[in-house]
Each structure stands twice: as structure tokens, then as C-alpha cells.
Amino acid sequence: MSSQSGEQKMQWAIRHMPILSSVAERFEKEQPFAGLNIVIALHLEAKTANLACVMLRGGAKVAITASNPITTQDDVAQALAERGVTVFAKRGETPAEYKEYFGNVLATKPNLLIDDGGDLVNAVHFEHPELLPAIVGACEETTTGITRDRALARAGKLSFPIIGVNEGLCKHLFDNRFGTGQSAWDGILRTTNMNIAGRVVVVAGYGWVGKGVAMRARGLGAQVVVTEVDPVKSVEAHMEGYQVMPMLEAARIGEIFITCTGNVKVITKEHFGVMKDGAILCNAGHFDIEVDVQHLRNKDPQHHEVRHNIEEYASGGKHFYVLGEGRLVNLACADGHPIEIMDLTFALQALSAEYLVRHQESLPNELINVPETIDDMASRAFLASRGLSIDTLTEEQREYLGSY
Amino acid sequence: MSSQSGEQKMQWAIRHMPILSSVAERFEKEQPFAGLNIVIALHLEAKTANLACVMLRGGAKVAITASNPITTQDDVAQALAERGVTVFAKRGETPAEYKEYFGNVLATKPNLLIDDGGDLVNAVHFEHPELLPAIVGACEETTTGITRDRALARAGKLSFPIIGVNEGLCKHLFDNRFGTGQSAWDGILRTTNMNIAGRVVVVAGYGWVGKGVAMRARGLGAQVVVTEVDPVKSVEAHMEGYQVMPMLEAARIGEIFITCTGNVKVITKEHFGVMKDGAILCNAGHFDIEVDVQHLRNKDPQHHEVRHNIEEYASGGKHFYVLGEGRLVNLACADGHPIEIMDLTFALQALSAEYLVRHQESLPNELINVPETIDDMASRAFLASRGLSIDTLTEEQREYLGSY
Amino acid sequence: MSSQSGEQKMQWAIRHMPILSSVAERFEKEQPFAGLNIVIALHLEAKTANLACVMLRGGAKVAITASNPITTQDDVAQALAERGVTVFAKRGETPAEYKEYFGNVLATKPNLLIDDGGDLVNAVHFEHPELLPAIVGACEETTTGITRDRALARAGKLSFPIIGVNEGLCKHLFDNRFGTGQSAWDGILRTTNMNIAGRVVVVAGYGWVGKGVAMRARGLGAQVVVTEVDPVKSVEAHMEGYQVMPMLEAARIGEIFITCTGNVKVITKEHFGVMKDGAILCNAGHFDIEVDVQHLRNKDPQHHEVRHNIEEYASGGKHFYVLGEGRLVNLACADGHPIEIMDLTFALQALSAEYLVRHQESLPNELINVPETIDDMASRAFLASRGLSIDTLTEEQREYLGSY
Amino acid sequence: MSSQSGEQKMQWAIRHMPILSSVAERFEKEQPFAGLNIVIALHLEAKTANLACVMLRGGAKVAITASNPITTQDDVAQALAERGVTVFAKRGETPAEYKEYFGNVLATKPNLLIDDGGDLVNAVHFEHPELLPAIVGACEETTTGITRDRALARAGKLSFPIIGVNEGLCKHLFDNRFGTGQSAWDGILRTTNMNIAGRVVVVAGYGWVGKGVAMRARGLGAQVVVTEVDPVKSVEAHMEGYQVMPMLEAARIGEIFITCTGNVKVITKEHFGVMKDGAILCNAGHFDIEVDVQHLRNKDPQHHEVRHNIEEYASGGKHFYVLGEGRLVNLACADGHPIEIMDLTFALQALSAEYLVRHQESLPNELINVPETIDDMASRAFLASRGLSIDTLTEEQREYLGSY
């Protein structure tokens, strides 16, 4: 582990995050977070590290921990610590350590939370309610986290406003679809060295993540099968030319399976029973609960790694190969989302955090949408960074739209 | 004009509209529209005719006129009349006739309106307010119509509930994207006989229609350029690999232009000025106002047809070719949307109309979303008609989702 | 039938055939065909008509007949006659008329033949051997014709040189793939008005035509199944992500079938037996022998047209729909290949015909490849017509390649 | 370096190389190479190692060296040595070592050569002519090598038959296109973590490799520009919807450049001069001569690695990033071709080597095509390994084809 390689990774990321750089420059002048403690729980690698630094430049004290026990890059963690961020995270945390580190960062008495999956928000509500009064608000990164936060809000238990960053257009339209789409395949390619062209790839779930993963599977020449529980999304997948069928049927013909549902036990016992020998299993959903790896572990306690990040499980006379222990394959087996995508996402995070602070007097304790102005600002900054210009409505067009 | 060819076209359509057939069977038993007058204004061709017949089977008296002066298929109109629908429409109506026919159908004293573009709703509010008391509600087909209806609702002037069918998932996800996407190209191919592979195709507007038209342009091998005014949609088009630029720049390199914005004067004087000789111009938006054909007509009063549905305009030493007079290219130059797509859309129309009647006591005079149950019903019927089955949540999964 | 509409179609075609126009200009000056009789048998529509005129401008007397009894456009035939070409063709020729017309054009005592499918070459060898001495050579357009010509050459019976235009890079790379790919779908779309997205489309044969038809099927959102007899081509289709299986299996799941094999009885009795009710059948191969329509006709002598160019056949309690009588769907149901594609193909025809005349002393009585210089000339003219420039090898690069 | 990880990599490869496994089983029985020395020069990683083992099982003594100084995986080399192959190779060989190792393997007095790029064949002809009499023949893997071998043959200097494996259908149709297409992007993704969607990617050369790289670039959402010197290939790229232009123009707009030409100095001084700051440069052609990295090194002797396998070069106030030193990006920055692709390629190698031995009496000292039977055998084995069956010609169809 060397902080130098971590710093190098961060430098490369910063080079490809022009939106965040321009936000950071403004933050440095305006110091919106002066005197505030920010606690971040995200997948700790170079891009996230850059977000932490941007908050630092905005005047905050920042403490960070990992939102996933397996996705931390230790060299980046060390480099980040050297830049003045309080870091509690290491690759391969035990469940106990994972919990301990959450305690550590929360001990800094946060005023703002940057959450990924809802663990921070749940921790302060149910384990550290003494922290609630000081908290201005939180930003949540994922679909999963928003579902959990919404449940909290509906139950009337939410103690501060949360901006659902995932619902921002510049997040879910790009991060979940293009980000996961590309990076999940980056992880699968480098881990397996398998040929994707012609392979039967089963994508479970056709939300934004599933759409992205299916799109890139096709882009690599795969024959794509989609499984869904929602009939409208199923029609959508069908119209895109994908085969649509129940998982039990897909399991019989699939060769590579990628779960993208946000739900539990999507591929389990009954599916293993009919699967082909040699099937590859991985997950692109937030938690490692979609593929029932525990079932395989119980069946084959002797399972072993056959290639970096590939575990072989024997079961019923067949062998199955699980990538990255069934955790997010793009983070466990690759470097997470492409940098530029995270530039958009983290620009939303940084701007949403600023919004929470600037509007703290007026915001209700609810799950709040990303304000349109933030999406507008981030997307225009992205276009500018790519050297693109677009049309603006003429006076006559504006009048026409208004004339109704 | 022969009612026989019209009846034949209708039979072919019915064969490919299984969802509507199953709805019609139920309507025939339940007679939800017994005693009601329904007025329809839609593009009058075989699929629309089928919708009219379904309403008829549901017990209604039905009068129909065209929502566009150029898209009526006369043989279908005649066949429909023979089936008992009151028809006022012919291909190539003058503006005066168009208006007169609206008067004719409204004279039947409608209780329900099936509208396409908002003309019926506007007519009863501003020209025939005496009809308002008897009207239970309306269904609106298009983005354009909904924008107009919303303006009416916001102004507090709406006198009955309107279901914005276009906002139904089973409408805009499929009809605007896959329906217009395919049929616009059907119109362009058959009208021009040009090779699309390698052509620079400019798609103005990246809403659902623009997305569909761009997707199929690429599917035909074109090099696609997208113009937009919305920055988020621009980023989306860019991420799909399309070139994004202002129209003035696109005009210099484009060879085939398709407007899909719903706005006015998208391609006009300044663009013609820089365009290449031989450029093809057409429109897939609701009104024929996106390409400024009037400007070309003024410049070249001698313009003439060089091939069926292609007018040549000389201007500034160059020649431009306008398809279908700048009206909806899929309707003016082809047979409109694919049948199965309209099966979904019209199932939403029929079920929404039924909903208006069954809930007339309780619905507010507002623009109402398509109820989720209707989208669910239509999409499940579609999947069934295609022989597809999908997963359902297990008890454990349902609990997991609910556990938050 | 009006020669005016035919002339208009020809004008539109000429506008989009810049390569042929430049060839024609040179021919007009150099008169390579002065004093020669040329007989052409091609699908008689606007683009072919343009080729005939180019030969005319090169000094030839030209007689033309149709290479297919159903694909002639009568208005074009009339316009062509008015331009001075001897025409024997009409849409819907009987087999007797087809044969008679061949006799008519051959009676002009040709010196050069432009053949499509090998019928002209066979006719002069086996029915009119008296014409052989005057014949300088022939150009053949199709894979099918070349197979027949090659058999003749192998048997030592060929009496003059034939240039296999189909083997020219600028022919089969573009015409068979991009030309048929687009135009076959143009025919299917306009004839059926069906939605292709999500449909199971079965493409029989994965040669250049099959590749093009499959590519565009996918571009329209279909789920594509390929059947083949060649194992290497099967692997190729598989790697492109298409499903590969025997026709008997494909017949069970297919909804639209397109034969592209150049072989006989590809879809027949046993396949109809397992096919779904409502299957659409069409052909993109040269002869109408790939789908066994005769079998269906025998089963259902009452078959009738249900929509323009769609015949319904009842068989075994099911209904099948045959487009364009099982003849080339792009010609029988649409306007044939896109114009610009035929510009490339016919440039090869015109230049090959010139080559035969200019090298008549030295050419052997064999099937000859299109000379590289002709492909080079045509492709460079195409690039120029599209305003494209490309790199040229530097001196250093040329040396490097030569250094081996 | 651990032989265990190398052995593990080999095991994973063997699992996905079913064709080679079935060939090896037969070889083990038939011992076609008993008593022969085979020398192999290939990129030394797990898949190549498997080929070496297959030859071993066929009775040969095998010595192997690397065909590229940077692509050897040391753990695999060690594992291979433990299996009984004589190995001279290490990652990062100096030019002197590269040459020395060639000497070492040739000292084993080969009877058969498996060559990649022509270095072995050239070495025995020009540096070790004393070895020529014992050599039965050679197999050559690449386009580059075949060009060199052909030059030798044309000059009348070839002393033994060479089978141009690259010209085998099962090689160039799949390996160059699908293999390099996927693996080059695997290398770029994992090395840069950049977002490809929307990026302007310039592919230099549109041969099989360029076709594959461009296809996958599009599959990842890039906007693809192709540069070429051949006009027919340029038209082909254009028809696929790619932008075609000279490199000097492409250099101005490109963001990621991938050379695939097999030629020298494709991207050089004049192009760097107009390129954007931050451009990414890499190569998928055989030799590291396509991007003029030497020029950059001279300009910026201080250049340094900014991320694993990325060197930053300052030049003219801009920064350029070269991946894998401008060597084959799929091998230098990833694990080379996907395993299943190499299964096909190496099956051709093994079967061609067997063919050379079995037909040594009758083969001329020329460059020989891969016999059709070998392509047939390999492709059928591939289909079988994927569980696919295909059609066979009926008696009637066979007769029809033969009837001409």
C-alpha cells in the first residue's frame, strides 16, 4: 500500500472531473461548509476521494468510511488521509469492523451526511439519535438508499431533509445506466477474459442499471435475456429486441448472469438446479443479496478462487463461478464507474449538500428532489467540458410554448 | 375509393390488435357506453377505425372526424361509415372543411371526447360552450394536446376531467418512441428510395419521438446528429454516441432533417441559407409548423412534386425536398404507426374512456394521469398476446421491499 | 400508366446517381459502344432505366427486358421507350410472355449482354446459339447468375467472356448487404404496417444478403434468428449475437421469415407444419423458389389478398401470409435497392461493359473478376460524391510495406 | 512470480478451450509430432501456454519464446516450464534479450515453427540457414507475418511450406475482429477508467482488426471516426455510419486514438501538432510503430507514468497519454484475446501443424492457405461446444446447386 499510487490515481481522476473542479473553485472562495462536519460513506476510491477533497475545499471537516467492505482501495485511502480527511476504511473489512468504522466517523458529530445505500441515515436515526439535532441534512446516492429513506419519511420518522441525489436526472440517467453499464462489463471482462460475443447473458431487472448493463452486453455482441417483475418494463425490454422470460427459464440457457434488481434472492437454489455447468454469476445491485451465494457456500464449503476474484462452487455435479463474492461487480472487480460519470454524479452531491446548508431554514424533514437548477447547472457544465453547444429557444418559440 | 379495400385494411389491423379485441369482447358484454355519444378526432386510418368500432361495441354512438386534413384514408372512412359510425372526413380537407367537420361531429352532442392535439377540447370550451354540461370527460392522445389542456386547467377553465393518455407509460414509452421511430422511417424510405446508410441525419428534438427517430436512423446505418434546447436531454443524446450541436451548425452538414420538437420554426430561413443543395426535410411532430415550409413556398411559388409526396423548392441557387408538405411524415407518407403499437395506445384510450364514465362522480375537472391499473392491464395483455411470461415477486422479496 | 410519372422517377434517380452521371459524360465523348447492340435483362425500374440511358449515351443501341415477371414498373418502361430504348416488359408477365420478350430483345442481335440471374447468357447458349459469334461478352449482376455462368465455364461451354459484376467489391459489399438489407425491410414495412421491434425475425442464409437483412432487422429492434448450412457463417452469425438454429426449430418461434439463400425449398411443408398461426413469409433471394408457396397454393386454392401484396393461405387450421408472392420482396413490394447503392453497382456494370469492349481481343472465354481498377474508380467516385476525402500512404509507409 | 497463479490461469483457460481439448485428446492417441522439435514464438500467456501443452501431448518437444518483449506473463511462463516446455521469455525483455531468447529456442533445432509476426521464419532464413534442412514447415499467426512471408516466397527464397493461419476463415473472421475488438477495449477500460460513451474515438485502419475495434467502440457508445487509405474499405466504414476522414482532420477532434493499420507512423508529429490536450493514444496493430511514441519521448524525456500503463508526454504545451508504450494494447494492458476466440485460432494452429507433418512429402515451399477441411472442422467443433446445431443441405438442394 502506497499513498503515492493513491495520489496518482486521484490526480488522474481530477483531470477527468472538470465539473467538480469548477465547483471546487467556487467553494474555495465562498466556503459554504465553513465550520461544518461532513461524514461520507461511499465506495472509497479515487473519484469519491475527489468529492471528499471538494468538500474540504468548501471549508468542511470531512470524515469518510466505506459503504461496502470490499470496495475500498487502500492506497487511495492513505493518500486521502494525507490530504487531511479523516479516513476509517480498508479493503476486506469484517462485518464488525464495518460497523466499528461507522461508529468512528459518526463520532466526529456530523452536520451533513453523504450516504450511499442508507446506512448512515439509518445509523443516526436508530443507533445514534443523540446526533440528530446537529444534522442539517443528508444526500443519498442510490435507488436502494432512497427506498429506505422514503420508508423512514413515510413512517414520519425522518429528522432532517434528505436530497435523493439518485433521483436527479444527471444521476440516474447517466450514472446508473452508462456508469454501471460500462463498469460492470469492465469488471467481467478483466476478471474472466471470456469472449462475450455470442454468449447468452441474463440481466435480472430492467431498471436504469439493468438497461445499461443490457445495452453494453449487446454492444459486446451478447445475446441478451432480460427477467423482470414489472410488466411495463418487460414490454420495454421486449421492444428493444431482448428476450424476456422468467428467471427459471432464463437459468436454463444463460451463461453469464448479472443481477440488477435491488431485491433479495433473485438467483437462488431452484435456479442453480437447472443452470448449466460453468455458469458465471455476478451482481450489479447495491447489496450482495441478489445472488444467493450463501446457498452455494453451504453446498461447497471447500469452494476456492480459480482466478483473481472468481470463486468456484461445486453444486449438484456442476460448477458455478461467482465474481467478486456477489458484491457490486464494477467495484469489487474493477475501478467502479467511469470517472466522467462520477463527475456528474458528485457535482450533484456537492451542489445538493450546498443547497441543504443554504436552505436549511426552509426545508421540510422529507425526501426532497434534486432541484431543477442543479440538474441544469451540472448538465450545462458537462456540455461545456466536452466543448458542446446547443440551441436556445427563440423568442417566438418561447411565446409559442407559452401561448397555450 | 372503395369501402372494400377499407374493410380489408381494417380486418388486417384487427388481426394485429389482440389487446383491443379482448377489451371489445368485455365491452360488448358490459356495455359501459350505453346511451352515450362519443366524438373522436384522430388520424383516420385502419387502426383508429378499429378503436371507433370498439367504442361502438361498448354501446356508444360514435362520430369521428380527422385530426389532420391530410392523413385520412378515404376507403377506410367509407368502410367505417358502413359499420355504423358517423364519419366526417376526407383526405385533403381545406381549412374551411376541417372546421366544418368539427362542427358536424360536435353537433351529435358528445358525452365523451377522444382528442388528438387538443382541437376538440378547445372547440367545446371556446366555440361550443353549450355542449360542456353534457360532457363526462375527454382522453387526449398527444404531448401537444396535453400541453394545451394543461394550460386550460392551470387557467382554471377546464370544465371536465381529461385523462392525458400520452402520459400513460404504455403510450409514450412505446407509441412515441417505437411507433414514430419506425413509421417515420417507413415514410422516408418509401417516399425517397434513398440509401440511409452513411447519410448525415439531423434529428431536431430528443424527447420520446426524437429518441425513437434517432434510434432507427442509427439502425439504418445513418450518422446521426441531434439538436436540442434542453441540456439534460443533450447530454443523454451525447452519451448515446450521437453528435450534438446547434441547428445552425447541423444545417451545414445534414442531408436528411426530421423535426420532432413540438415547437415552431425549428428549421427556417437562416438554416436554409447554409444548407446543402438537395437536403431532404420532413417532420415527425404533431403540427406542420416545425419546418418553415411557408418560407420555401414564398421563395419558390413554382415548386412542384418530383416524386409522390416530395415537393422540390428552389431557394438561393439550391434545391430542397420537402416530404408530405412538412406534415407528420409517418402519416402523410406512410400508414402511421405500426398496428401493434396502436393496439397498446388505443387500449389505453378505450380503458381510460371507460374509467371516465365509471368514475364520473368522483373525478375533478383536471388533467388526470392514466391510472396505474390501466397501464398494468394493457402491458400484461400485450405480454400475453406475445406469448411472454415474466417473474412475480416471491413472498420474501415482497417483504424485503416492504421492510424498509 | 403514364410516361410522365416514369420520367419523373428517372429524374429523381439520376439526381442521386452522381457516379453514373460522371461515367455517362465521359461515354458521351468517347462513344465506346458506337455501333454495338446491347441487350439488358434487369428489374425494370427507374435506376435500371438510368443504366440503359448511360449505355445509350455511350453510343449503343439498347434493348431491355425484365429479369423478373413481377418487378417491372410500367410507367418507367414507357418513359424509357420514349428516350429511345427498345423495351419489352410489363408488370405481371405470364411465363409465356416472359419467354417471348426474351426472344424479342435477342432478336436485336446483341453484341453485349447485361444479365441478371443468368437467363440471357443461358438463352443465347442453348436457344439462340446463332447469336454467339457476334457477342463480345456479358456482365452478370447476381450471385445466382454467377453460379450458373461458372457451371457453364467449367463445362467448357462458355462462348464469350463474362465479368462477374457481383464479385466486384463495390457490388457485393454494398448492394447485397446494404441495398437488400434496407430495401427488403422497406418492402416489409410498407406492406404489413407491422411493428418489428420485439418480433422474432428468422433470416435464412447468412451470405451478404442475409447479413444485410439481419443487420437491419436488428436495427428495427427485432430479435433475430439465423439459419445456415455453412458452419463458418454460422459461427459468424452467432458471434454477432444472433440466435443460430436449424430452420425446423426456428419455424416454431419465428413470426417473420425472410429467405436469403439462393437455394430451393428452404421453407416448406415440414416447416409450415410447426409454424405459428399468422406467420409472415417473404423472400429476398433471386428466384421465388425459397419459400414453397406452391405447396401453400395447393393446400388453399381459395387463397386471397388481404392487403396489397399480402396473400393469405389457410393450412392445417392456421393462416400464413406471403408477401409479394414469394418473389424478391424489395422489388415486388417496394422500389428495389436504394438509388445510391445502384449507382455504385451500375457504375461497375457500365465500366465492366466498357472493359469488355476495349479488351475484347485479349480476354479469354471465362468468368472474369471485376478489375481492381474499376472497383477503385467506382469507390473513389462514390467518396467524392459524398464529399469525403481519405488518407494516402506516405512515401515512408509505402516503403515500409514494400520492405518485406 | 508464482507458478501456482500461472497454473491457475492455465486451468481457467483450458476450461474455456473445448476445441483444443478435443484436438489434444486425439493428438495424445495419434502422436503426430512424435520425435519432432517445435519452436513457438507467441505472446506468452495462459492461452498460448495451452497450445504449447497440446503440442506436447501430441508427442513434440516444445520450446517457446515471446513474440513481443512486453506481453509475457511471468507466472504463466514458470507454470509452463514446470509442465515440461522449454521457456525463454520474461516480461520487459530488452532488445538484446529478445534476440538472445530467439537464439536459445532455435538452438533446440526445430522441425516445426509456430510464428507470430514472421520473426522466427526470418531468423532461420537469414541468421540460421543451417537449421533450414530440418524444418518441415511453419504456421504464421498474423497479417503482418504473412505479408513478410509472402515477400519471401515471391522472392523465391522460402525454404519450406508455411500455412498462413491468419488467412483461415476461423482466424481472421473471429480473432482479428471479435478478439481484438473486445480485448483492446478491455485494455483501454481497465487502464483509463474513462467513460467511453460520447467520446470521439478515432480508429486508424478498417481491416478486420479496425472493424472489430470500431464495432466495440460503438457498442460502448462512442462516436467513431475511421481513417483509411483504401477507398473500398472507406466506403464500407462510411456505410456502417462511421465518420470517415483523413487522420490530420481526425486528429483535431479525436479523444481516444487506436491504430490498427499494420503500417508505420500512422500518428506522428503533424498530428500531435493539431491534437487536443489530453488525447489518449494506443495501438492494436502488431508492432509498436504505428503511433510515433519515439517522437514524444524525444520531446519529453521526463515523461512519466501517471497511472498503471499510462505514460504522460508533454509536447507543445499539451499532454498526451500513451497506453502500454504504444504496443498491442490488448496484450500490454489486458490479458490478450478472449479465451474462446483463441480456442478457435489455436485449433487452426494445431491442425495446420499436423497437416504440415502429415503432408510434408507433397507440399510446395510456398505460402499455403488453411485447408477448407480445417476451417470446417474447427467451426463445427466450436458450434458443438456451444450446443448449437445447424441445417444441412437436403438432397434436392444439393442437386439444385449442382444443376447449374
Side-chain angles (χ1 to χ4, degrees), chain A residues 144 147-149 151-152 169-170 173-174 177-178 208 211 215-216 227-240 244-249 261-266 270-271 287 289 340-341 344 375-376 378-380 382-383 386 388-394 396-398 400-401 403-404, chain B residues 144 147-148 151-152 169-170 173-174 177-178 208 211 215-216 227-240 244-249 261-266 270-271 287 289 340-341 344 375-376 378-380 382-383 386 388-394 396-398 400-404:
Chain A
T144 296
T147 310
R148 297 174 75 187
D149 293 345
L152 216 56
L169 293 173
C170 284
L173 285 181
F174 306 118
R177 188 164 38 151
F178 295 97
W208 290 112
K211 282 181 168 74
M215 172 173 73
R216 292 295 171 249
T227 72
E228 244 303 335
V229 295
D230 179 273
V232 174
K233 285 179 185 160
S234 299
V235 177
E236 221 179 340
H238 169 77
M239 291 279 189
E240 290 287 359
V244 175
M245 61 185 74
M247 180 55 85
L248 197 56
E249 210 177 305
T261 71
N263 210 325
V264 69
K265 290 197 183 169
V266 175
E270 59 172 344
H271 306 111
F287 289 118
I289 55 176
E340 305 89 331
I341 295 286
L344 265 171
D375 265 325
D376 192 84
S379 56
R380 288 192 189 277
F382 179 87
L383 291 170
R386 309 286 291 118
L388 301 171
S389 54
I390 61 174
D391 280 320
T392 42
L393 292 173
T394 63
E396 184 175 0
Q397 289 177 325
R398 205 175 295 275
Y400 176 81
L401 289 183
S403 71
Y404 291 137
Chain B
T144 296
T147 310
R148 297 174 75 187
L152 215 57
L169 294 173
C170 284
L173 285 181
F174 307 118
R177 188 164 37 151
F178 296 97
W208 289 112
K211 283 181 170 72
M215 172 173 72
R216 292 294 171 250
T227 72
E228 244 302 336
V229 294
D230 178 273
V232 173
K233 285 180 184 160
S234 298
V235 177
E236 223 179 339
H238 169 77
M239 291 278 189
E240 290 287 0
V244 175
M245 60 185 74
M247 181 55 87
L248 197 56
E249 207 178 309
T261 70
N263 208 326
V264 69
K265 289 197 183 169
V266 175
E270 58 171 345
H271 307 111
F287 289 117
I289 56 176
E340 304 89 331
I341 294 287
L344 264 172
D375 265 324
D376 192 85
S379 56
R380 288 191 190 278
F382 179 87
L383 291 170
R386 310 285 293 117
L388 300 172
S389 55
I390 60 173
D391 281 319
T392 42
L393 292 173
T394 62
E396 184 176 358
Q397 289 176 327
R398 204 175 295 276
Y400 177 81
L401 289 182
S403 72
Y404 291 140

Side-chain angles (χ1 to χ4, degrees), chain D residues 39 84 123 151 161 168 263 272 278 280 289 310 320 343 363 376 381 392 398:
Chain D
V39 162
N263 209 324
F272 297 133
I280 307 283
I289 55 176
I310 308 182
F320 303 122
D343 191 24
L363 296 174
D376 193 83
T392 42
R398 204 175 296 275

Side-chain angles (χ1 to χ4, degrees), chain D residues 118-296:
Chain D
D119 282 352
L120 276 183
V121 166
N122 272 264
V124 295
H125 277 85
F126 299 114
E127 294 164 35
H128 301 279
E130 75 281 5
L131 298 174
L132 290 172
I135 297 180
V136 171
C139 299
E140 168 56 45
E141 175 86 359
T142 67
T143 312
T144 297
I146 285 178
T147 310
R148 297 173 75 187
D149 294 344
R150 183 172 294 127
L152 215 57
R154 283 197 182 144
K157 294 187 183 158
L158 197 56
S159 299
F160 47 76
I162 300 181
I163 296 188
V165 170
N166 187 71
E167 305 297 283
L169 293 173
C170 284
K171 166 67 168 64
H172 70 264
L173 284 181
F174 307 118
D175 179 306
N176 304 25
R177 188 165 36 151
F178 296 97
T180 312
Q182 176 179 311
S183 60
W185 283 105
D186 180 3
I188 296 168
L189 293 183
R190 73 166 80 171
T191 305
T192 65
N193 195 220
M194 280 170 66
N195 179 41
I196 307 306
R199 289 278 171 197
V200 179
V201 169
V202 177
V203 179
Y206 200 64
W208 290 112
V209 169
K211 281 182 171 71
V213 170
M215 172 173 71
R216 292 294 172 249
R218 172 175 285 174
L220 287 162
Q223 182 186 323
V224 182
V225 174
V226 170
T227 73
E228 245 302 339
V229 295
D230 179 272
V232 174
K233 285 180 185 160
S234 299
V235 177
E236 222 179 341
H238 169 77
M239 290 279 189
E240 290 287 359
Y242 302 127
Q243 288 177 270
V244 175
M245 61 185 73
M247 181 56 85
L248 198 55
E249 208 177 308
R252 290 174 204 279
I253 60 172
E255 301 180 285
I256 300 175
F257 295 80
I258 308 158
T259 51
C260 317
T261 71
N263 209 324
V264 69
K265 289 195 184 170
V266 176
I267 298 179
T268 184
K269 196 176 163 178
E270 59 171 345
H271 306 111
F272 297 133
V274 301
M275 247 179 221
K276 290 183 179 178
D277 179 41
I280 307 283
L281 299 156
C282 65
N283 169 47
H286 186 73
F287 289 119
D288 59 341
I289 55 176
E290 308 207 11
V291 179
D292 191 356
V293 182
Q294 196 52 53
H295 173 82
L296 293 175

Side-chain angles (χ1 to χ4, degrees), chain C residues 151 236 247 264 289 397 400 404, chain D residues 148 151 264 289 397 400 404:
Chain C
E236 222 179 339
M247 181 55 86
V264 70
I289 55 177
Q397 290 176 326
Y400 177 81
Y404 290 138
Chain D
R148 297 173 75 187
V264 69
I289 55 176
Q397 289 176 327
Y400 176 82
Y404 290 140

Side-chain angles (χ1 to χ4, degrees), chain A residues 15-239:
Chain A
R15 250 184 222 101
H16 293 94
M17 299 181 95
I19 310 177
L20 219 43
S21 293
S22 71
V23 169
E25 273 170 42
R26 183 170 60 76
F27 278 5
E28 207 153 39
K29 283 188 219 134
E30 304 183 0
Q31 294 287 303
F33 306 123
L36 298 179
N37 295 327
I38 298 182
V39 163
I40 302 177
L42 288 171
H43 301 282
L44 207 166
E45 39 74 72
K47 292 151 285 184
T48 334
N50 191 16
L51 174 63
C53 295
V54 169
M55 306 313 269
L56 214 58
R57 288 171 69 184
K61 287 188 183 167
V62 180
I64 191 166
T65 188
S67 63
N68 185 304
I70 205 182
T71 58
T72 299
Q73 300 200 357
D74 291 331
D75 54 354
V76 172
Q78 190 172 326
L80 194 55
E82 291 182 7
R83 281 188 171 221
V85 170
T86 305
V87 182
F88 289 98
K90 68 174 186 195
R91 187 174 178 94
E93 302 166 0
T94 63
E97 286 167 334
Y98 183 77
K99 207 174 155 66
E100 180 193 330
Y101 295 161
F102 262 70
N104 295 146
V105 291
L106 289 177
T108 65
K109 299 192 178 153
N111 306 108
L112 268 175
L113 306 175
I114 309 281
D115 204 0
D116 179 295
D119 282 354
L120 277 183
V121 166
N122 271 265
V124 295
H125 277 85
F126 300 114
E127 295 165 35
H128 300 279
E130 73 282 4
L131 297 174
L132 291 172
I135 297 180
V136 170
C139 300
E140 168 56 48
E141 175 86 0
T142 68
T143 312
T144 296
I146 284 177
T147 310
R148 297 174 75 187
D149 293 345
R150 185 173 293 128
L152 216 56
R154 282 193 185 149
K157 296 189 182 156
L158 197 57
S159 298
F160 47 76
I162 300 181
I163 296 187
V165 170
N166 187 70
E167 303 298 281
L169 293 173
C170 284
K171 165 66 169 63
H172 69 263
L173 285 181
F174 306 118
D175 179 306
N176 304 25
R177 188 164 38 151
F178 295 97
T180 313
Q182 176 180 310
S183 60
W185 283 105
D186 180 2
I188 297 169
L189 293 182
R190 72 165 82 170
T191 306
T192 65
N193 196 219
M194 281 171 63
N195 179 41
I196 307 306
R199 289 277 171 199
V200 178
V201 169
V202 178
V203 179
Y206 200 63
W208 290 112
V209 169
K211 282 181 168 74
V213 169
M215 172 173 73
R216 292 295 171 249
R218 171 175 285 173
L220 288 161
Q223 183 186 323
V224 182
V225 174
V226 170
T227 72
E228 244 303 335
V229 295
D230 179 273
V232 174
K233 285 179 185 160
S234 299
V235 177
E236 221 179 340
H238 169 77
M239 291 279 189

Side-chain angles (χ1 to χ4, degrees), chain B residues 270-284:
Chain B
E270 58 171 345
H271 307 111
F272 297 133
V274 300
M275 248 178 220
K276 290 182 178 179
D277 180 40
I280 307 283
L281 299 156
C282 64
N283 169 47

